[in-house]
Structure formats: C-alpha cells, structure tokens
Amino acid sequence: MCRIVCLPPMFPKKKALEIVEDFYIGNDDGTGSVYVKDEKFIVNKWNQSFEDVVKQKLPLFDHMPYPGWTLAHVRAASHGKNTYDNTHPFVKGNFAMVHNGVFHEYAPVKAALSATHKFKGQTDSEVAAVLWNVIGRRKFVKTMESGVYMFLKRNGRVDVVCKSGGDLVFQNTKYGTV
C-alpha cells in the first residue's frame, strides 16, 4: 500500500523527511508532494523512490517550513506502471489529491468518466481524483468502500476521507497533528 502524510503549517522540513523515511520502505514507485502558493498548486513529484529523491536533493519539502498545509505521498503501484503520470499527487479542478488503498471500482468509473475526461495515467487514484471533482464530497464518501483519500483545496483547506481497509495514524507534534 502507498503511504500518505498531511503536514500542518510551519512544519519543519527535517521532521517531514524523518516521518516519510520512517514509513516509505517498500513503496519505491514514486514520491511526491503538493502545497498551495498564491492559490496555485505547487506539485513536486518523481517516479523514483523516496530514498533516490533524498539522495538527489530534489525539492520535495524545500518550501518548508511553510504557512500552509502540505500533502505527501510515496507510491507502491497497484494500478499502472511506475511512470510520472501515475505518480501522486493528482491535481483535478480545485483539488490536489493523494490516496492510500485500492479503489476497486475504478475500471467502470474510469470508463464512465472517459467520455468527459482524458486520463493521463492508468492509476485508480487519478480516477478517484476526477470522481471527487465530478460528484462532490458527499457522494464520493458514499461511493468509496475503502482507502484513505486526502484532498488539498486551492484555498488551502484539507479534507480527509478514511474508509475501512487501512490504519489511520495520527502523530501529535509541537507543530500540530500529522
């Protein structure tokens, strides 16, 4: 399964790297982060392991500490190959999303949404991001059976949907809850 983290405002870069390092092992199919600056999403993502991203000093958390929320993701591919287009986060409309779990119904949903949306990758997470934008939070929550979905809105608000099938772990820090 993928691993995701939501980092609160003013969270230190060093601590963010330590947290992701603690749980990324085995999730080598992509690494990414997203935050909002001037109501625009700033996405940093690579179809490389977290370890490689850190070794290459790529700008995963270079914006931190930062006065807004940051979402991050390390990928273990369940749908789609290890490509840039399948790497999280996904930006769709006014939301950026990271996902942990498997969206089992993604094939029929993708087929239905393909009439109005051109998908870049093959991952179930991209389909879930589009679905959120099409049907909204209330229907999305009713539709999903499992997984954890984190959404960052263009205005900086974070929304988390957690369904059965995984653990949701909270860590309290002096900077806020992660």
Side-chain angles (χ1 to χ4, degrees), residues 42-114:
I42 308 300
V43 176
N44 295 300
K45 65 181 185 176
W46 305 271
N47 59 319
Q48 299 177 39
S49 71
F50 173 76
E51 182 179 24
D52 288 345
V53 166
V54 171
K55 281 181 185 175
Q56 295 174 48
K57 298 182 180 181
L58 297 172
L60 182 67
F61 296 132
D62 283 3
H63 64 288
M64 298 174 89
Y66 167 74
W69 290 89
T70 300
L71 300 183
H73 183 274
V74 287
R75 182 170 187 250
S78 58
H79 294 93
K81 296 179 182 177
N82 181 3
T83 66
Y84 178 85
D85 288 336
N86 289 330
T87 302
H88 302 218
F90 296 98
V91 174
K92 302 295 177 187
N94 286 320
F95 292 90
M97 186 205 78
V98 294
H99 166 230
N100 175 27
V102 176
F103 174 21
H104 296 287
E105 302 82 12
Y106 94 101
V109 172
K110 183 176 183 177
L113 293 173
S114 291

Side-chain angles (χ1 to χ4, degrees), residues 5-64:
V5 65
C6 183
L7 301 161
M10 303 314 297
F11 204 79
K13 174 183 175 179
K14 182 179 178 190
K15 184 68 175 172
L17 290 167
E18 288 172 7
I19 287 170
V20 176
E21 183 176 27
D22 281 348
F23 66 64
Y24 90 92
I25 297 171
N27 296 333
D28 294 330
D29 298 324
T31 304
S33 67
V34 62
Y35 63 99
V36 177
K37 182 177 180 181
D38 300 325
E39 295 188 19
K40 294 181 181 163
F41 292 111
I42 308 300
V43 176
N44 295 300
K45 65 181 185 176
W46 305 271
N47 59 319
Q48 299 177 39
S49 71
F50 173 76
E51 182 179 24
D52 288 345
V53 166
V54 171
K55 281 181 185 175
Q56 295 174 48
K57 298 182 180 181
L58 297 172
L60 182 67
F61 296 132
D62 283 3
H63 64 288
M64 298 174 89

Side-chain angles (χ1 to χ4, degrees), residues 170-178:
F170 294 93
Q171 178 179 342
N172 293 314
T173 73
K174 69 179 181 180
Y175 306 99
T177 302
V178 178

